[in-house]
Amino acid sequence: MLLPSFFLGALFRVVTNSASGVPSNLFVAVIVACLAVSTFYTYLDIDFAASSRKVSPNVTYLVYGWMGLRWLVGLFLIFSGMVYQSPGDLYKVLWVLFWMVPPALTSPVLSLLWGGNVYPAAVLSRTLSVIAPIALVGTLALVKLPINVAGLNFFYVILIAGLAIPGTLAQWWRGKSPVDSNRHSKEWKFIGVFAVVLMAAVTGFQFAPHTLIADLFVQPDPQRSLACLQQLAVALMIFVMMRLFGVLTSVLSQGKLGNNAETRDAYILLVNPNFFLWAALFSGITDVPNLAALKYAGFWGALGFFCIPVIEQILFGSAFANDILRETMRSSRMAVEDIKKLFLKLDEDGSNALDEGEIKELLGMIEDMTVGERSSEEIRSYVAGYLMNILDRDKSGTVELHELEEYVSTYGLVADLNIDPKERV
C-alpha cells in the first residue's frame, strides 16, 4: 500500500500543479501525528523492560561498527573537499550525509513485518537517533555549508512527539494491563498501518516537483530534466550500494549472530536511513545554484525510502510466513501427553493455566525436545499470541490445560487454521 500511496500523492501534486506543496508547519504536524500513531501500535508489541537482555553484543557491535565506518568515510569526503567545491555541489554532500544519518524510526515496524528480532531494531535505532543528530550538528558547525542546521529541530520534534511520548504510553499501558492492551493492538493495529500509508501519500505530495512528468518525458527545461535523471541515477546507486553492503554483512555474520532474526534486524538498520532527518537538512534552501538537483534528490530519496522496502517486504514476509508454518508444523509432532508434562512443569502455582509468556516458553521447550533449536522470539510470540486469541475464550489472559489439550489433539500446534489438518506432513 505504501507504493501506490506515495505515487498517488506525487501524482496529485503534478496534476494540481502545486508549486508550493503543503505548508511546512502542516506537513510537520501530519508526519509527527502519523509516526506517533504507528509508534504507539508498534510498541504495544514490544517489551522494552526485557529488551536490553534481548539485544546481543554481537549485533550491537556490528551495527555500531558499520555506522562508525560510514561516519569516518563521510567525514573524510566532506572535510577533504572531494565532494564539495562550490554551492552547486551541495547535493553531493547531502547524498554523503544520507549514509551518515541514523536508521529510520520505522525500523521496528519493518522488523515486525519481516520476522526480525524487533528488539535490536527498536533499541539501536532509538539510541542512534539520539546520538547521530548531535554529531551532525557538531560536524556541520565546522563546515561552512548552506545547510539548514536549524531543520534538525524538526527531527527532535519527531523524536519526542513521534517516538518518545507514544512509545512510553504504549509501554505503560502494556505493563499496566497486558490483556487489554494486547487485545486492543490486535483489533486496532490497522490504524497504525493506515497512519504509515497516509505518511507516504503526504510525503509523495510534498517532495514531488510539480514539473516531474514534464521533466521526465517532455523536457521543456533541459537543465532541470538533466538534474532529474542525474539524481535518479545517484539515488539508485546509493540504495543499491546500501543493500549490497547489507547483504554482504548478513553473509559474513552467519553464525556470529544469535539467529536469522538478529541478522535481519542488522540488515534493516543498515539499509533504511532516516529520510526525514536527512530531508530536514535541506528544507527551506532556495538560494543555491542547481536547486533542481536538491529538489530531485529529495524526491528520489523519498521514493526509495518508502518503496524499496515494499519489494523487500514481499521477499522477507514470504520467508517469515514459511518459517512460522515450518516451525509450528514441526512442533505439532509432539504427543499431547508430552505437552501436558511440560505444561505442568511451567504451571508453578498449580492453577492449571498459563499466561502468554508461559505459552511462548512452552513453545520453546517443545522445540528443544523436537528439533533441538528454538525459532526466533518473533515467531514464538506470533504463535503464542495466536493461541491465546483462539483458546482464551473468557479473555482472562490465561489458557487452561484442558483447552490446550483439546486444541493440540485436534489441530496440532499449527498457527494457520486455514490449513486442513489432513494436509499437514
Side-chain angles (χ1 to χ4, degrees), residues 43 46-52 108 118-119 122-123 126 167 171 174:
Y43 278 40
I46 299 175
D47 181 12
F48 266 112
S51 61
S52 59
V118 179
Y119 297 101
V123 174
R126 181 183 59 180
Q171 289 291 292
R174 177 188 172 95

Side-chain angles (χ1 to χ4, degrees), residues 183-368:
R183 184 186 304 118
H184 179 83
S185 174
K186 285 178 168 56
E187 293 177 354
W188 297 95
K189 188 175 288 187
F190 71 90
I191 298 177
V193 176
F194 175 77
V196 177
V197 170
L198 177 60
M199 184 163 60
V202 174
T203 304
F205 180 86
Q206 186 73 354
F207 283 91
H210 66 287
T211 58
L212 174 64
I213 301 299
D215 291 338
L216 281 173
F217 301 106
V218 182
Q219 301 183 350
D221 184 333
Q223 185 175 359
R224 198 173 60 209
S225 297
L226 178 62
C228 172
L229 297 175
Q230 178 192 52
Q231 295 308 306
L232 171 59
V234 174
L236 283 173
M237 179 183 70
I238 294 295
F239 282 108
V240 168
M241 286 179 62
M242 279 186 165
R243 276 146 182 83
L244 285 176
F245 280 112
V247 171
L248 179 63
T249 300
S250 298
V251 172
L252 295 179
S253 61
Q254 287 293 332
K256 297 180 176 64
L257 299 183
N259 48 48
N260 289 335
E262 276 197 346
T263 303
R264 201 162 293 170
D265 266 26
Y267 177 85
I268 290 169
L269 291 166
L270 293 174
V271 303
N272 288 285
N274 194 309
F275 166 78
F276 291 106
L277 171 57
W278 177 69
L281 296 174
F282 62 89
S283 61
I285 297 177
T286 58
D287 56 350
V288 296
N290 205 7
L291 182 60
L294 287 184
K295 290 184 177 180
Y296 274 109
F299 173 71
W300 296 122
L303 179 63
F305 173 76
F306 279 103
C307 299
I308 293 179
V310 173
I311 301 173
E312 293 173 313
Q313 181 183 334
I314 295 172
L315 300 175
F316 285 126
S318 176
F320 181 39
N322 290 335
D323 283 344
I324 292 175
L325 183 58
R326 182 173 60 253
E327 297 298 337
T328 52
M329 285 174 66
R330 290 193 301 181
S331 299
S332 69
R333 294 173 183 154
M334 195 168 187
V336 174
E337 187 61 31
D338 292 329
I339 292 177
K340 180 180 178 179
K341 291 178 182 178
L342 294 179
F343 187 104
L344 295 175
K345 182 177 181 181
L346 289 171
D347 182 26
E348 296 179 353
D349 59 1
S351 63
N352 250 17
L354 300 181
D355 60 24
E356 184 170 343
E358 291 169 327
I359 290 292
K360 186 170 76 170
E361 178 60 23
L362 175 66
L363 294 173
M365 293 171 69
I366 290 172
E367 290 181 316
D368 289 340

Side-chain angles (χ1 to χ4, degrees), residues 6 59 62 74 77 93 122 130 180 187 273 290 339 362 402 413:
F6 182 90
V59 72
L62 178 67
L77 292 174
V93 178
V130 173
D180 290 341
E187 293 177 354
N290 205 7
I339 292 177
L362 175 66
H402 71 87
L413 290 179

Side-chain angles (χ1 to χ4, degrees), residues 165-182:
I165 294 176
T168 301
L169 288 174
Q171 289 291 292
W172 172 79
W173 189 18
R174 177 188 172 95
K176 181 181 179 182
S177 182
V179 176
D180 290 341
S181 62
N182 182 62

